[in-house]
Amino acid sequence: MSVIKIAKPVTPGRRGKVYVRNFDLSSDGPLKKLTKGKKKISSRDNQGRISVRRRGAGHKRRYRIIDFKLTKPSMRGVVKTIEYDPNRNVFIALVCYSDGDKRYVLATENMKKGFEINSGEEAKSEEGNTLPLNKINVGSFIHNIELHPGKGGQIVRSAGGFARLLGIDGKYASVVLPSGETRKILASCLATIGVLSNKEFKNIKRGKAGVSRWQGRRPKVRGVVMNPVDHPMGGGEGKTSGGRHPCSPTGIIAKGFRTRKSKKYSNKLIVRRRKK
């Protein structure tokens, strides 16, 4: 059960703060054997250059190893805890299988302690179960969808996300993605049934800049106030950008310029483009 809370403005940092209180979350730490250390790299590439701006510092984290492939077919699993994961905006569930093995999976909105899940072609088409697309009831909400059989779920993995299965046509399944795009995916690919948890995440307001810094987000400066050497929109007298079109530091136009390759191999699998 999740409740949206508005903080009382007892301090300037609490004024305007909106957060989500979830009563199903475990207060215990993560299972240590299912975590590993996460090195802070400040968004630098293998040459040490910043490849993603405005990242760095933040609280130390441990990475939770999520079972995106769901490699325990035809084996019943029981949810032991629902936990917070600092590396993603969706909650995760610790599942204990009948052979004693434990795995982390993405939690659905109705998942709680004692919830049973299963995977494989023989599993029922119910929330939390993972099946091939051709075994799922048409019209179902799905997430954690594979794009290549056996590779593991790659798309629809964020808080409150879901796609909808439109139908099966031969070896392909038609799926409506959260962006509004209708796409064909191999019907043998796996997907998990249900809507992902923490759908109230979009309503969160941090309240103060310090919360962003704890999460590893550094301050952002507009391009128009930079010098010409730092940004294409920089320079000029006063509050002006010299009539330049909004663009990125590398000169890529930001408004209405499509960056998708016209000869991309997956174009043939897109039935309808996403909403503009």
Side-chain angles (χ1 to χ4, degrees):
M1 177 181 176
S2 297
V3 177
I4 297 177
K5 304 280 286 187
I6 300 176
K8 291 183 179 180
V10 293
T11 62
R14 299 284 285 179
R15 185 179 300 276
K17 182 180 177 65
V18 179
Y19 61 97
V20 176
R21 179 81 182 276
N22 191 288
F23 298 97
D24 297 325
L25 287 184
S26 172
S27 58
D28 300 331
L31 190 64
K32 191 170 183 180
K33 70 176 184 179
L34 291 180
T35 66
K36 62 180 180 179
K38 185 176 181 182
K39 183 182 177 183
K40 284 287 182 182
I41 55 176
S42 301
S43 298
R44 285 169 167 78
D45 57 19
N46 58 3
Q47 295 179 325
R49 297 171 181 165
I50 292 178
S51 55
V52 181
R53 299 185 297 160
R54 312 179 190 117
R55 299 287 188 274
H59 201 285
K60 191 174 183 179
R61 303 177 183 178
R62 285 192 68 82
Y63 181 77
R64 278 71 165 168
I65 301 171
I66 311 295
D67 185 14
F68 291 117
K69 292 187 177 182
L70 292 161
T71 53
K72 308 286 284 188
S74 304
M75 190 171 292
R76 187 177 69 91
V78 179
V79 174
K80 293 298 182 183
T81 57
I82 305 294
E83 300 179 14
Y84 168 77
D85 187 354
N87 305 293
R88 62 192 76 249
N89 53 20
V90 65
F91 298 138
I92 58 176
L94 179 63
V95 178
C96 183
Y97 289 96
S98 53
D99 62 350
D101 193 15
K102 293 182 179 180
R103 303 282 179 91
Y104 275 128
V105 299
L106 301 181
T108 60
E109 61 177 350
N110 296 320
M111 197 174 281
K112 56 183 66 176
K113 187 176 180 179
F115 195 94
E116 293 187 6
I117 65 172
N118 207 334
S119 61
E121 295 189 2
E122 304 301 324
K124 295 181 180 179
S125 186
E126 298 175 350
E127 181 177 346
N129 290 352
T130 302
L131 301 84
L133 289 171
N134 54 14
K135 300 290 183 180
I136 298 176
N137 295 336
V138 173
S140 298
F141 292 149
I142 55 177
H143 65 271
N144 193 32
I145 307 168
E146 286 185 332
L147 291 178
H148 305 282
K151 191 173 183 179
Q154 291 180 270
I155 56 176
V156 193
R157 304 195 315 196
S158 61
F162 64 89
R164 189 158 57 91
L165 180 62
L166 285 184
I168 307 294
D169 183 14
K171 67 176 183 178
Y172 286 103
S174 295
V175 177
V176 180
L177 301 179
S179 63
E181 178 179 288
T182 303
R183 180 191 171 95
K184 290 182 178 179
I185 301 175
L186 283 171
S188 57
C189 288
L190 296 177
T192 307
I193 301 173
V195 179
L196 286 166
S197 57
N198 199 20
K199 63 181 179 181
E200 294 89 359
F201 178 80
K202 62 183 179 181
N203 298 318
I204 291 177
K205 294 182 181 179
R206 297 188 178 101
K208 64 179 184 179
V211 177
S212 295
R213 297 307 306 268
W214 299 338
Q215 296 175 351
R217 306 279 173 162
R218 297 186 63 239
K220 177 167 57 176
V221 179
R222 293 172 297 134
V224 293
V225 297
M226 296 182 185
N227 292 321
V229 70
D230 297 319
H231 201 282
M233 295 168 60
E237 295 292 333
K239 297 182 68 174
T240 176
S241 59
R244 300 177 184 87
H245 198 285
C247 62
S248 72
T250 55
I252 297 177
I253 298 174
K255 306 286 186 179
F257 180 72
R258 297 197 173 189
T259 57
R260 184 179 175 87
K261 295 179 181 179
S262 60
K263 296 182 180 180
K264 194 172 178 68
Y265 70 94
S266 60
N267 282 348
K268 61 183 179 182
L269 298 176
I270 298 175
V271 178
R272 187 179 64 183
R273 290 292 302 271
R274 63 184 175 87
K275 300 172 185 176
K276 294 182 180 179

